[in-house]
């Protein structure tokens, strides 16, 4: 299965990247092809600076749109900044949430994780799920948002920079349930 993983933090060595690497480490040995899209390379203009032109995509935009369009399962891993998803992720939805980009949202399952260095991650999960459902509806897509999300608390203490799980049994149990549910949902949806 083709899987896209969006590490939606613009920061270098982010907790979102740790989490994304952990997902890749879990999914690749199962035979899945995983591509991580690193928002550290983000260059989608904000609304007051221009628009994304599907005919003239730059490198990051092309990698993002091609990888997600080809994927049947998309993990969106967003940091929580002041009870919100990253501004870059919100802007991405603004810029490509229209009819020319329907293929980005169509025929796939989205699974959402909120990433925090404290006891957070809930609000990005709620807000991203809401926006994705609105876009899927508005664009008349054959897609679904997984009903099981994951709030990654104290991520920098639970995961190594390479995405290794440090050893918290409850954290790993939650991750396994999140990943298994997303895979099962994708297999059912994409039959």
């Amino acid at each position: 299965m083709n899987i896209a993983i969006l590490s939606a933090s613009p920061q270098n060595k982010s907790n979102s990247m740790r989490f994304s690497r952990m997902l890749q480490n879990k999914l690749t040995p199962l035979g899945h092809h995983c591509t991580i899209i690193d928002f550290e390379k983000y260059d989608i203009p904000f609304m007051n600076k221009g628009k994304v032109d599907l005919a003239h995509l730059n490198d990051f935009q092309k990698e993002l749109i091609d990888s997600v369009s080809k994927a049947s399962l998309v993990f969106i891993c967003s940091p929580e900044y002041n009870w919100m998803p990253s501004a870059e992720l919100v802007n991405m939805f603004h810029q490509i949430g229209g009819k020319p980009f329907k293929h980005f949202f169509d025929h796939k399952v989205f699974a959402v994780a909120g990433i925090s260095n404290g006891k957070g991650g809930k609000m990005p999960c709620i807000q991203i799920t809401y926006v994705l459902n609105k876009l899927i509806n508005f664009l008349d897509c054959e897609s679904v948002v997984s009903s099981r999300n994951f709030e990654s608390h104290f991520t920098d203490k639970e995961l190594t920079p390479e995405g290794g799980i440090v050893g918290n049994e409850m954290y790993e149990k939650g991750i396994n349930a999140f990943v298994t549910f997303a895979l099962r949902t994708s297999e059912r949806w994409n039959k």
Side-chain angles (χ1 to χ4, degrees):
M1 173 185 320
N2 277 336
I3 298 173
I5 303 169
L6 277 58
S7 175
S9 171
Q11 295 185 10
N12 182 28
K13 299 179 182 175
S14 70
N15 287 326
S16 297
M17 182 52 80
R18 286 179 190 225
F19 191 87
S20 297
R21 286 184 180 130
M22 179 273 302
L23 289 174
Q24 185 178 47
N25 293 344
K26 284 199 164 290
L27 293 162
T28 301
L30 299 175
H32 302 292
H33 178 264
C34 299
T35 304
I36 295 177
I37 309 302
D38 185 357
F39 275 45
E40 185 183 349
K41 299 182 281 183
Y42 186 91
D43 62 5
I44 295 174
F46 284 90
M47 297 299 279
N48 63 338
K49 300 291 182 190
K51 295 206 177 282
V52 176
D53 180 355
L54 195 52
H56 299 93
L57 299 173
N58 58 32
D59 291 341
F60 174 82
Q61 294 165 8
K62 183 169 178 30
E63 180 186 20
L64 170 71
I65 291 168
D66 287 351
S67 295
V68 172
S69 297
K70 291 175 189 169
S72 53
L73 174 58
V74 180
F75 286 94
I76 299 178
C77 310
S78 176
E80 181 173 316
Y81 297 139
N82 296 319
W83 304 279
M84 298 287 291
S86 70
E88 290 77 10
L89 184 63
V90 172
N91 184 61
M92 180 198 79
F93 289 135
H94 283 306
Q95 286 281 23
I96 64 173
K99 302 263 186 221
F101 298 96
K102 178 178 178 175
H103 59 287
F104 185 90
F105 299 97
D106 208 9
H107 300 289
K108 56 193 85 269
V109 170
F110 293 93
V112 181
I115 316 301
S116 178
N117 64 355
K119 197 158 171 65
K122 179 179 184 175
M123 291 312 294
C125 289
I126 292 168
Q127 293 162 341
I128 294 165
T129 298
Y130 173 78
V131 169
L132 282 170
N133 277 309
K134 291 298 286 182
L135 286 167
I136 289 166
N137 177 54
F138 171 73
L139 297 171
D140 194 28
C141 294
E142 297 277 335
S143 294
V144 67
V145 181
S146 174
S147 59
R148 173 169 260 165
N149 53 36
F150 189 80
E151 299 166 23
S152 181
H153 302 168
F154 305 105
T155 306
D156 56 330
K157 293 166 186 60
E158 301 292 353
L159 300 174
T160 67
E162 298 77 30
I165 298 176
V166 173
N168 180 333
E169 187 179 321
M170 292 306 293
Y171 186 88
E172 187 159 15
K173 185 178 177 183
I175 288 293
N176 289 338
F178 171 65
V179 169
T180 300
F181 191 87
L183 288 171
R184 226 175 28 237
T185 303
S186 184
E187 287 163 8
R188 284 174 151 176
W189 188 257
N190 293 304
K191 270 188 177 178

